Amino acid sequence: MSGDARANELGEFLKARRAEVDPRAAGVPHTGSHRRVRGLRREEVALLASISPDYYTRIEQGRRQASAPVLEVLARVLRLDEEERAYLFELAGREPARPRSRAAQRVQPQLRRLLEELTTIPALVLGRRLDVLAWNRMADALFTDFARVPEKHRNYVRLLFTEPAFRALHDDWESVARNAVAILRREAGRDPRDQRMESLVGELSVRDDDFRRWWADHHVAALDRGSKVLRHPVAGELTLDWEALSCAGDAEQQLVVWSAEPGTPAHDGLRFLASWAAGDARSAAER
C-alpha cells in the first residue's frame, strides 16, 4: 500500500468512526435542526478535539500528517477501543515501518508436536492474514480437510466466505464472518504494504457483497477469545469456547484452540468426534 493509499485508508477509517458516534453522547449541543449526516460532522470532531476544522479536514483528506498527541485526542473523541486506537496510529505512520519482504512463516517442530498431542481438542496455528499454517487431526475433523486446500488458499477468512461446507458449519455465520473481517482489517493495519493481503481483500471484495460491505465499515477487532456454535454433520451441535495463544517463537503466529466445558453435550460431542477421527484415520491407513 502506497503512502497515498495509507492516507486514504486513514481518512476512510476516521469518517467511518465519526459516523458511529452519537453527537448527544459526545456532548455536542442539540440545535433542533435536521442533521444531514450520521454521527459527528468534521467541525464537531475538531471542536471536541480542540483543533481547527481546517486541520482536522486536512488529516481526514490525507493532506496533513497528524502528530501523536492529536491522534490520542482523536482516539478519545471517536471513542476508539484499544485495537482501533492502535490501528489509527499505524495508519498514521506512527509505528515503525516493517520491511517490504518478510520470510515465509514456518511452524516450529515443538509447536507441531504440541498440536499432535492435542487429541481431543481442535487446534490451528494461524499466521499473518489469518493464514492456516498448521492444524491437528481434530481441526481436520471439525472444520475441513485442510491438506486438500491449496496452500495459497489456506486462509481462515477465505474459507469462511468461499467454502459452502465451512460456511454452513457455523450456526451464526454472519456474526462469525463479521468478526473475522474485523480481525483481518486489524491484521491489514500491521503491514499496509502486504501485497498478499491486498490480493486476498481484492478477491473477497469481488466475490462477496457481504465482505465488501463489512470491509468498508472499517471495524477492527483482536484475535483473542470467544464462543461459537457449530453444527457438525457427525458430532451434531457444538457450543465451543475458543482462545488464541501467542507463540513465543513468532509473535505473528497464534495457536487457536476450541474446547468445551466438561459435562456438557459439546464436551461429549468433541470426545465422540475424536473417536470418529481416530477410527477414520485407522481406516485410511488400512486402505
Side-chain angles (χ1 to χ4, degrees):
M1 185 182 292
S2 67
D4 289 342
R6 181 194 284 263
N8 181 66
E9 171 65 15
L10 173 62
E12 292 299 319
F13 180 69
L14 288 171
K15 284 188 282 188
R17 294 288 71 77
R18 67 179 170 86
E20 293 188 345
V21 178
D22 183 349
R24 292 190 182 185
V28 175
H30 180 57
T31 62
S33 60
H34 175 69
R35 300 182 66 89
R36 293 180 294 177
V37 298
R38 186 165 61 95
L40 295 175
R41 303 184 181 100
R42 284 176 176 169
E43 58 269 23
E44 291 169 340
V45 174
L47 175 65
L48 294 170
S50 299
I51 59 178
S52 74
D54 180 66
Y55 184 17
Y56 177 75
T57 298
R58 287 173 176 270
I59 294 172
E60 197 172 276
Q61 292 178 343
R63 296 186 291 124
R64 178 71 180 268
Q65 186 175 34
S67 65
V70 169
L71 291 174
E72 289 284 5
V73 174
L74 290 177
R76 289 197 297 270
V77 169
L78 299 176
R79 305 190 173 193
L80 305 186
D81 61 25
E82 183 178 347
E83 289 298 317
E84 291 169 331
R85 175 187 169 278
Y87 185 60
L88 173 68
F89 270 74
E90 288 170 3
L91 289 178
R94 294 303 177 183
E95 294 292 331
R98 298 179 185 272
R100 286 187 177 274
S101 178
R102 291 183 288 172
Q105 290 180 291
R106 295 287 182 265
V107 177
Q108 294 296 317
Q110 301 93 320
L111 186 53
R112 289 190 180 274
R113 288 199 298 269
L114 174 61
L115 282 174
E116 293 171 2
E117 291 295 325
L118 297 175
T119 57
T120 61
I121 296 177
L124 297 171
V125 177
L126 299 181
R128 306 174 196 131
R129 303 169 293 274
L130 301 188
D131 289 339
V132 179
L133 304 179
W135 57 92
N136 64 1
R137 183 187 298 167
M138 279 293 286
D140 263 342
L142 181 62
F143 293 110
T144 190
D145 185 353
F146 289 103
R148 293 183 181 273
V149 180
E151 184 175 356
K152 66 179 180 179
H153 293 158
R154 209 176 287 153
N155 176 276
Y156 194 86
V157 182
R158 190 181 190 280
L159 290 169
L160 268 176
F161 281 91
T162 64
E163 294 294 328
F166 201 91
R167 179 174 183 144
L169 181 66
H170 296 81
D171 181 65
D172 186 2
W173 176 86
E174 180 174 334
S175 176
V176 171
R178 278 179 177 270
N179 189 57
V181 172
I183 294 171
L184 188 68
R185 169 67 79 172
R186 180 68 184 87
E187 287 295 310
R190 299 183 191 280
D191 185 1
R193 298 175 295 178
D194 185 345
Q195 293 184 348
R196 287 186 61 187
M197 175 69 82
E198 289 186 11
S199 177
L200 174 64
V201 171
E203 177 197 0
L204 294 180
S205 295
V206 170
R207 294 183 61 164
D208 194 280
D209 291 340
D210 286 328
F211 180 91
R212 183 169 61 252
R213 184 171 66 256
W214 297 336
W215 185 260
D217 286 340
H218 293 264
H219 289 296
V220 294
L223 179 65
D224 47 19
R225 64 179 63 85
S227 179
K228 65 176 61 176
V229 179
L230 302 178
R231 297 190 180 277
H232 194 273
V234 173
E237 181 177 308
L238 302 170
T239 300
L240 302 178
D241 299 318
W242 64 271
E243 184 157 5
L245 308 172
S246 295
C247 301
D250 183 348
E252 293 182 313
Q253 292 184 29
Q254 291 185 288
L255 173 66
V256 185
V257 296
W258 284 261
S259 63
E261 185 73 24
T264 63
H267 186 264
D268 294 339
L270 283 181
R271 295 279 179 175
F272 175 77
L273 188 61
S275 177
W276 175 82
D280 192 53
R282 283 194 297 270
S283 297
E286 292 169 358
R287 287 198 292 268

